[in-house]
Amino acid sequence: MPPALQPQPETITIEQYEALPENRRAEVFEGVLYDMASPSEIHQTISTELTTILNTYIKSKKGSCKVFHAPFDVKLDDNPLTIVQPDLMIVCDKDKLDGKRCNGAPDFIIEIVSPGNPSDDYIRKLYYYQTYGVREYWIVDYRRRKVIVYCLNQTDFEMEIYTFQDNIKVSIYDDLYIDFSQLDF
């Protein structure tokens, strides 16, 4: 069937998205709704460890940035509607927060790879995070025991690959390092 004749996926509006049941985990890419699987035990363990490190650091510095973990919406675009739920994020511009979500790119995002859909973090989200100006994006891949770090430089991401034995600098801060060899997972 020629592409013009193929059925197009139904798109949703922000009002339809907000009307979804609270317990439904979903993201929207260019108006198309995608359901998300519940995170595994190891996923939650990694998320909790990293959230604790980031939050403790920010509090110790009396910083104004805030740490959020999924499920918390980030609306990257209204038209077409694009809403993601990063596993972890840091938002430094409080004007982006409206009580319900972050409107615009967070400063820092960590995605923990789900074995059932790794391309989502490695390809789709990488594209959107770069396009919308996330300053730093980490992909934590437990099965490969790797951390891929992308830092935005003008319009392109520069990439570095680390292992779970490395002490990795969080580039949006001058003196924050996360030593993966010391984490309990």
Side-chain angles (χ1 to χ4, degrees), residues 46-59:
I46 294 169
S47 178
T48 300
E49 288 271 333
L50 294 173
T51 300
T52 301
I53 291 167
L54 295 171
N55 203 42
T56 300
Y57 172 84
I58 290 170
K59 283 185 171 195

Side-chain angles (χ1 to χ4, degrees), residues 95-106:
D95 290 339
K96 291 182 178 181
L97 301 170
D98 67 6
K100 293 192 288 188
R101 69 180 63 91
C102 175
N103 296 287

Side-chain angles (χ1 to χ4, degrees), residues 37 113-120 143:
V113 174
S114 299
N117 194 10
S119 66
D120 206 36
R143 290 184 341 163

Side-chain angles (χ1 to χ4, degrees), residues 60-103:
S60 75
K61 299 290 185 176
K62 298 181 179 14
S64 61
C65 301
K66 293 182 96 175
V67 179
F68 296 93
H69 57 84
F72 188 75
D73 290 343
V74 174
K75 183 171 65 168
L76 295 173
D77 205 338
D78 286 308
N79 190 18
L81 184 62
T82 301
I83 297 176
V84 294
Q85 289 186 356
D87 291 318
L88 292 164
M89 71 185 103
I90 295 175
V91 179
C92 297
D93 181 353
K94 290 198 165 78
D95 290 339
K96 291 182 178 181
L97 301 170
D98 67 6
K100 293 192 288 188
R101 69 180 63 91
C102 175
N103 296 287

Side-chain angles (χ1 to χ4, degrees), residues 4 7 15 19 24 27 34 55 59 69 73 92 100 117 122 125 134 136-137 144 149 151 183-184:
E15 293 79 19
R24 184 168 178 189
E27 294 178 309
Y34 294 87
N55 203 42
K59 283 185 171 195
H69 57 84
D73 290 343
C92 297
K100 293 192 288 188
N117 194 10
Y122 281 104
K125 288 187 176 181
V134 173
E136 187 168 354
Y137 171 42
R144 294 173 58 206
V149 174
C151 292
L183 301 182
D184 190 22

Side-chain angles (χ1 to χ4, degrees), residues 14-28:
I14 188 70
E15 293 79 19
Q16 291 169 314
Y17 178 80
E18 289 177 341
L20 294 173
E22 277 193 39
N23 62 347
R24 184 168 178 189
R25 295 196 65 224
E27 294 178 309
V28 181

